[in-house]
Amino acid sequence: MNATPIARIIGHAEVATKPREFSVASAWAIQKVLKKAGVTLDEVEVIEVNEAFAAVPLICGQELGWDPARVNRHGGSVAMGHPIGASGARLTMTAAYQLQESGGRYAVAAICSGTGQGDAILLERV
């Protein structure tokens, strides 16, 4: 099989919050992974945030102050689906392919869970 990589993982982070704060956990995980990698949010071209609830990207955007034009460009989970057990793969691949489309360097994908967990992954286009 001749597969050519399109992105590489350069960092990941997870956070734990109170269950009632789950909607902001993705934002905190994004902050954590960017800090660990020494990358600023302004350097990130593509942002994918899982929409277990449609308000999650809005709440995270308020927390991080990002440009909404970089977030869930193809509709996010409400439009594309939230497959149980595969949402992380869907988010990561969507972000990687968007990096190829845009020619950007970095993408971040994040997901939260109702128990207060947040996870984020930072990708770099190759």
Side-chain angles (χ1 to χ4, degrees):
M1 182 173 166
N2 291 331
T4 303
I6 61 172
R8 68 184 183 105
I9 297 169
I10 60 170
H12 63 87
E14 59 284 325
V15 298
T17 70
K18 297 173 185 164
R20 69 176 180 266
E21 298 174 332
F22 79 92
S23 60
V24 77
S26 294
W28 296 343
I30 289 170
Q31 287 174 324
K32 187 174 178 179
V33 73
L34 293 177
K35 184 176 180 179
K36 282 173 56 176
V39 174
T40 67
L41 188 60
D42 289 336
E43 295 176 276
V44 177
E45 172 70 22
V46 174
I47 302 168
E48 279 290 312
V49 176
N50 193 59
E51 297 168 329
F53 299 91
V56 170
L58 300 173
I59 293 165
C60 291
Q62 288 177 342
E63 180 75 13
L64 297 176
W66 61 39
D67 175 4
R70 294 184 287 158
V71 181
N72 295 353
R73 290 181 179 154
H74 295 297
S77 303
V78 170
M80 298 175 71
H82 179 29
I84 302 300
S87 290
R90 205 272 314 147
L91 288 164
T92 302
M93 292 309 299
T94 299
Y97 280 113
Q98 284 183 57
L99 275 181
Q100 294 300 304
E101 292 172 6
S102 70
R105 182 173 179 187
Y106 296 114
V108 68
I111 193 167
C112 65
S113 69
T115 58
Q117 181 175 334
D119 298 278
I121 189 168
L122 182 62
L123 304 174
E124 182 177 31
R125 184 174 56 88
V126 295

